[in-house]
């Protein structure tokens, strides 16, 4: 069953094998009330050619898996996407992906299919998840004609909601890792950022359980209320 397919206008040109892989992708699992320790979650980080969500492209995908309440180091994903027309920009100084690495990367259709198969039906965690969600959604639509329907949880929202005493409502990943004393050996590298985000998420899930939020469904409900309160405080 291909619950993700979304063909609009002229569909991308795919091989028969690629179409079959698209059709075999599972539909995302609905959020449930099962304990957080029983969930498989994919922690995602993207490196992109810039921050313009309408024009810039995904250059690198990094992901790790949280399963049964721990980071499963046997389940990791890392891939650089081939972009023949990629030009050197200021973003190279941040993520360090050289144009030669991008030119030698994996074909976008192959890379995205590999990632979607790795993702399976699992929900996604990311820091500033809205950006990653938008960029992945656009890449999937343009490259494969797929619609991204997986649930995304933003660790940048979970952290201040669960730890208001930190006074880091607008804190970035560096601020939160420093707050919890996590060791960060590399930044602005997709796999490394995904790993530290996963470590942060496990700490937050422990805080969530202590606050009687021991399921993704409950977390989603609490986040909806938290966002509403944040908007009201901004007026």
């Amino acid at each position: 069953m291909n619950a993700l397919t979304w063909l609009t206008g002229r569909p991308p040109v795919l091989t028969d094998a690629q179409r079959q892989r698209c059709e075999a992708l599972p539909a995302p699992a609905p959020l449930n009330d099962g304990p957080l320790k029983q969930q498989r979650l994919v922690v995602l980080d993207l490196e992109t050619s810039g921050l313009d969500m309408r024009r810039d492209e995904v250059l690198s995908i990094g992901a790790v898996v949280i399963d049964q309440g721990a980071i499963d180091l046997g389940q990791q994903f890392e891939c650089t996407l081939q972009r023949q027309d990629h030009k050197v920009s200021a973003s190279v100084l941040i993520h360090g992906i050289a144009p030669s690495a991008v030119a030698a990367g994996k074909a976008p259709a192959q890379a995205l299919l590999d990632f979607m198969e790795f993702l399976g039906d699992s929900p996604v965690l990311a820091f500033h998840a809205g950006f990653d969600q938008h960029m992945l959604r656009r890449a999937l639509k343009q490259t494969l004609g797929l619609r991204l329907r997986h649930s995304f949880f933003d660790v940048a929202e979970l952290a201040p909601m669960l730890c208001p005493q930190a006074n880091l409502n607008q804190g970035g990943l560096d601020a939160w890792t420093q707050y919890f004393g996590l060791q960060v050996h590399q930044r602005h590298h997709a796999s490394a950022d995904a790993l530290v985000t996963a470590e942060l998420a496990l700490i937050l899930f422990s805080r969530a359980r202590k606050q009687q939020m021991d399921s993704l469904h409950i977390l989603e409900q609490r986040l909806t209320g938290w966002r509403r309160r944040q908007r009201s405080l901004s007026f």
Side-chain angles (χ1 to χ4, degrees), residues 5-232:
T5 300
W6 186 26
L7 300 177
T8 58
R10 177 180 293 181
V13 178
L14 303 177
T15 66
D16 289 341
Q18 289 169 340
R19 281 194 295 270
Q20 290 172 6
R21 290 176 69 187
C22 286
E23 291 168 359
L25 292 173
L31 299 181
N32 58 57
D33 291 316
L36 292 172
K37 283 189 175 181
Q38 295 180 6
Q39 305 296 321
R40 180 186 188 268
L41 299 151
V42 173
V43 186
L44 171 68
D45 187 80
L46 302 179
E47 297 299 337
T48 62
S49 58
L51 299 178
D52 189 328
M53 293 192 291
R54 296 173 299 175
R55 298 180 181 178
D56 284 309
E57 297 179 309
V58 175
L59 300 182
S60 177
I61 304 172
V64 298
V65 169
I66 293 176
D67 198 10
Q68 300 299 311
I71 299 170
D72 185 349
L73 295 178
Q75 298 188 68
Q76 298 187 64
F77 185 92
E78 183 173 8
C79 184
T80 298
L81 281 67
Q82 184 183 71
R83 302 294 188 185
Q84 296 290 356
D85 57 350
H86 176 61
K87 297 179 176 60
V88 176
S89 67
S91 64
V92 173
L93 298 177
I94 298 174
H95 55 59
I97 304 174
S100 58
V102 175
K106 186 175 289 188
Q110 179 72 25
L112 291 166
L113 276 168
D114 288 350
F115 173 69
M116 293 304 291
E117 289 168 346
F118 175 86
L119 174 59
D121 65 355
S122 300
V124 181
L125 290 171
F127 201 93
H128 292 150
F131 179 81
D132 294 274
Q133 184 178 22
H134 181 93
M135 295 299 289
L136 181 60
R137 179 190 293 123
R138 187 161 65 86
L140 288 170
K141 177 184 175 183
Q142 292 176 347
T143 307
L144 298 173
L146 295 182
R147 182 181 182 185
L148 180 66
R149 293 168 55 184
H150 290 66
S151 297
F152 274 67
F153 285 85
D154 192 349
V155 178
E157 291 182 329
L158 287 172
M161 181 186 77
L162 294 169
C163 306
Q165 70 280 3
N167 293 317
L168 289 173
N169 276 14
Q170 304 300 320
L173 184 56
D174 289 330
W176 282 105
T177 53
Q178 183 177 3
Y179 177 78
F180 286 114
L182 296 174
Q183 297 296 316
V184 181
H185 301 292
Q186 188 175 15
R187 281 283 282 115
H188 302 297
H189 180 278
S191 294
D193 283 355
L195 181 59
V196 73
T197 301
E199 293 172 351
L200 176 58
L202 289 179
I203 294 173
L204 295 174
F205 285 166
S206 176
R207 300 292 178 97
R209 285 189 290 271
K210 293 177 182 178
Q211 298 176 43
Q212 288 72 54
M213 297 183 228
D214 193 18
S215 77
L216 293 175
H217 187 223
I218 293 174
L219 276 179
E220 183 183 49
Q221 291 179 328
R222 296 292 182 89
L223 276 170
T224 299
W226 181 83
R227 293 186 193 108
R228 189 180 302 116
R229 290 192 297 274
Q230 296 305 301
R231 287 194 296 269
S232 67

